[in-house]
Amino acid sequence: MTFDTCRAKLKSLAYASLKQGVMLTMLFDKKIIACIGLMLSNNVIAQQWQLEVGGGGFYQSSLFTGVDGTLLGLPYINAEYGRWSLGMKHGLFRYRLFDKDSSFQTWVGLGIRDETYGGIFMRDSDLSDDRVFNGYKAGDTDFTYTVSMQWHDLALNFEQDFSNHSEGYVADISYQFLDIPVTQQFFIKAKAGARYYDENYVDYIYGVSQENSNLRVGRYFYQGEAATNGYASIDLIYAFNKNWTLISSTKAEHIADEIANSPLVDEDVSYSMMLLLTYKGL
C-alpha cells in the first residue's frame, strides 16, 4: 500500500464520518492501522519540531455516588512535526490531512479514554465509601480511533473504541462563540457544545449488568441508553511573551437523564477546572 493510497483512504473515512454522523465500521479495518504506521514512518513534511511543555493542576468533579472529584497535578507536553501532533493536547497522536492554511481541517489519530469508576485518572483516595460500590466490578480503559474536523469556529470530534472494551463511540460538536483579545497579551475564549454517547458506551460506564447487580447495597440492574450532554466552557489566556503562556479553563456539563438515572450516579452536572503554565519553543 502506497503513501498516497493511505492518505486517500483516511480522507475517505473522514468525509464518510461527517456525512453519516457516526464512526463507521471501516474504522476496524486493519488497513487503517497499517496506513497510520506507514505515514508515521515517512518524512511527511520536512519541518523542525515544535515543542510545548508545562504543568499545572486539574480538577474534575465526579458523577459517581460518594465521589467528590479528582484533583491532579498535570504535566503537559505537546509536540508537532509537519502534519503530526503527539502529546496530551490531542490524545496519543493525530495526523492532519490538509494543508495548514486550509479553512477546513481534518485529523485522524489514536487516543485513550477512561471515564470508568476507579479508572486510571482516579486515585485510590478518591474512591467512594458508599456501599453501592461494594463488590462492584468496573470496566477497563478504552483505546480509540479518532476523527476530528474543524471549519472556522465549528468543530466535530468522533472517538470509537477498538480495544473491545466498551465497543462504543462518542461524538462531540462545539462552536466557539467568543474570542476576545482584551489586550495584546490577554484573551478570553468561550464555546458551547453537545456530547453524544452511544448506547454501548453509556451502558459500559454507567450501566449495571445482572452479574454486577446487588440489591442489598442498592446496585440494581440498569441498562444504559444513548445520551446527549450539553456543555459550555470559558478559557482565559495570558501570554507573558512568545514562549510563556498561562491558561485557565472552566467547563460545566449538564448530564442527561439516561446517565443520571443510573444507581451509580448521584449528580446531574459535572464541572472541571484547569490552570496550566506552558512554554513553547524548540
Side-chain angles (χ1 to χ4, degrees), residues 42-166:
N42 277 271
N43 186 9
V44 180
I45 296 181
Q47 296 181 1
Q48 62 183 4
W49 283 95
Q50 295 182 348
L51 183 64
E52 188 176 12
V53 297
F58 177 78
Y59 173 79
Q60 174 69 62
S61 67
S62 177
L63 304 182
F64 294 114
T65 301
V67 180
D68 294 329
T70 300
L71 178 63
L72 298 172
L74 186 68
Y76 175 85
I77 182 169
N78 184 65
E80 296 187 7
Y81 182 80
R83 296 177 183 269
W84 290 99
S85 300
L86 303 92
M88 297 177 59
K89 190 174 183 180
H90 305 298
L92 297 177
F93 68 84
R94 69 178 188 174
Y95 175 78
R96 177 168 45 84
L97 296 180
F98 300 101
D99 293 335
K100 201 168 187 178
D101 57 355
S102 173
S103 60
F104 176 77
Q105 289 293 336
T106 304
W107 299 266
V108 294
L110 298 178
I112 186 170
R113 181 178 64 192
D114 193 342
E115 299 180 82
T116 61
Y117 173 76
I120 59 176
F121 301 111
M122 287 184 67
R123 300 170 301 184
D124 290 343
S125 59
D126 295 324
L127 297 180
S128 176
D129 293 327
D130 195 286
R131 69 191 197 118
V132 74
F133 287 105
N134 290 347
Y136 174 70
K137 297 180 181 179
D140 295 317
T141 303
D142 279 349
F143 291 92
T144 61
Y145 295 115
T146 64
V147 176
S148 302
M149 305 174 189
Q150 185 166 342
W151 183 68
H152 298 290
D153 294 321
L154 182 66
L156 299 95
N157 185 68
F158 300 88
E159 304 173 354
Q160 169 70 59
D161 172 54
F162 68 86
S163 54
N164 295 323
H165 292 156
S166 73

Side-chain angles (χ1 to χ4, degrees), residues 4-5 10 57 80 102 105 110-111 148 183 185 219 225 251:
D4 290 338
T5 302
L10 291 174
E80 296 187 7
S102 173
Q105 289 293 336
L110 298 178
S148 302
T183 69
Q185 295 176 292
R219 194 170 64 244
E225 299 178 357
K251 177 181 177 181

